[in-house]
């Protein structure tokens, strides 16, 4: 009699363990496996960071260029702006803060609308990287109109929107430069790793 009770308890325990395994380990694993995409090594947030956040219709043969050099210097002291302000607001009430009314204000209105994170602010000037796809969003928000779309094969360009008759002490006034879209190295590393992983998974 006691042996039968012990056997019954063992059978109940085994069934309970099997049910626990089935419902808490096996079924969730199968469910998660069905959710795995073709890029299982990367998390969703990493994939979203790497993949362009634009539709194919936004990609063009042009690239944005800022007609203002980040290497510029002025003979006068530049006004300091509150970084919480926008370029549009500052331009409306204070101008550019320099003696050149075409100088980049550098508060990053363009960077905020860039879905590719292709714009950095260097020396209070917007700088376009090679992540630019030429969507043109930045050209629409710049209050000075100093961001233009040019063919990506352009070799040289006058990186200055100032007119020759406008007063300016800018060291880079009307300076013609080679067009270089700077690389964002950290992003390039991620992109390379992503492509390698994707190729391995496909093969």
């Amino acid at each position: 009699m006691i042996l039968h009770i012990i056997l019954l308890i063992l059978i109940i325990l085994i069934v309970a363990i099997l049910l626990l395994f089935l419902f808490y380990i096996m079924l969730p694993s199968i469910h998660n496996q069905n959710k795995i995409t073709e890029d299982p090594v990367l998390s969703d947030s990493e994939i979203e960071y790497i993949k362009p956040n634009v539709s194919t219709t936004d990609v063009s043969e042009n690239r944005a260029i800022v007609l203002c050099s980040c290497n510029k210097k002025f003979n006068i002291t530049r006004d300091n702006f509150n970084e919480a302000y926008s370029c549009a607001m500052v331009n409306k009430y204070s101008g550019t803060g320099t003696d050149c009314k075409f100088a980049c204000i550098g508060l990053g209105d363009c960077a905020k609308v860039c879905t590719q994170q292709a714009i950095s602010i260097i020396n209070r000037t917007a700088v376009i990287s090679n992540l630019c796809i030429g969507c043109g969003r930045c050209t629409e928000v710049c209050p000075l109109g100093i961001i233009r779309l040019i063919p990506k094969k352009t070799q040289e360009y006058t990186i200055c929107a100032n007119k020759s008759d406008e007063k300016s002490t800018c060291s880079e006034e009307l300076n013609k430069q080679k067009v270089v879209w700077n690389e964002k190295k950290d992003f390039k590393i991620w992109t390379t790793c992503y492509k390698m992983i994707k190729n391995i998974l496909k093969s």
Side-chain angles (χ1 to χ4, degrees):
M1 184 71 178
I2 295 174
L3 185 62
H4 289 144
I5 293 172
I6 292 171
L7 282 173
L8 183 63
I9 292 171
L10 283 174
I11 290 169
I12 292 171
L13 282 173
I14 290 169
V15 170
I17 290 169
L18 286 172
L19 287 173
L20 284 172
F21 176 77
L22 181 66
F23 287 103
Y24 289 96
I25 298 174
M26 190 172 177
L27 288 179
S29 298
I30 292 170
H31 181 67
N32 289 334
Q33 190 173 14
N34 292 335
K35 283 185 168 183
I36 291 177
T37 65
E38 62 175 2
D39 305 308
V41 179
L42 302 176
S43 68
D44 290 341
S45 59
E46 288 170 323
I47 291 169
E48 285 306 310
Y49 177 73
I50 292 168
K51 288 181 179 176
N53 188 23
V54 291
S55 67
T56 52
T57 56
D58 286 330
V59 181
S60 79
E61 290 300 310
N62 297 324
R63 293 293 178 267
I65 191 167
V66 181
L67 303 186
C68 188
S69 174
C70 64
N71 300 314
K72 65 181 181 293
K73 296 175 184 176
F74 293 94
N75 293 337
I76 61 169
T77 303
R78 298 170 69 179
D79 294 342
N80 289 319
F81 300 124
N82 188 327
E83 292 186 2
Y85 296 163
S86 69
C87 296
M89 183 174 79
V90 166
N91 184 56
K92 184 175 181 180
Y93 295 105
S94 304
T96 65
T98 72
D99 61 1
C100 175
K101 67 180 184 181
F102 298 97
C104 180
I105 297 168
L107 291 174
D109 290 13
C110 52
K112 291 168 189 170
V113 300
C114 180
T115 57
Q116 294 301 101
Q117 299 178 5
I119 304 177
S120 304
I121 304 300
I122 301 172
N123 187 26
R124 289 175 56 179
T125 307
V127 176
I128 312 288
S129 79
N130 63 348
L131 300 180
C132 175
I133 60 167
C135 68
R137 289 186 177 93
C138 54
T139 65
E140 297 168 0
V141 300
C142 179
L144 303 176
I146 61 171
I147 306 180
R148 308 275 168 83
L149 290 179
I150 64 172
K152 63 181 179 181
K153 294 181 180 178
T154 304
Q155 300 294 313
E156 285 189 337
Y157 207 83
T158 301
I159 314 295
C160 179
N162 198 6
K163 308 288 192 301
S164 58
D165 58 344
E166 296 287 342
K167 180 188 174 186
S168 174
T169 61
C170 178
S171 61
E172 300 293 311
E173 184 178 2
L174 299 177
N175 188 15
K176 194 171 189 177
Q177 298 179 12
K178 287 185 177 180
V179 176
V180 177
W181 282 280
N182 300 307
E183 292 186 357
K184 280 195 172 181
K185 293 182 180 178
D186 55 340
F187 193 97
K188 189 178 179 182
I189 290 168
W190 271 109
T191 305
T192 304
C193 292
Y194 172 74
K195 287 178 181 176
M196 287 172 61
I197 292 166
K198 194 169 184 179
N199 290 334
I200 290 168
L201 293 172
K202 281 184 177 179
S203 58

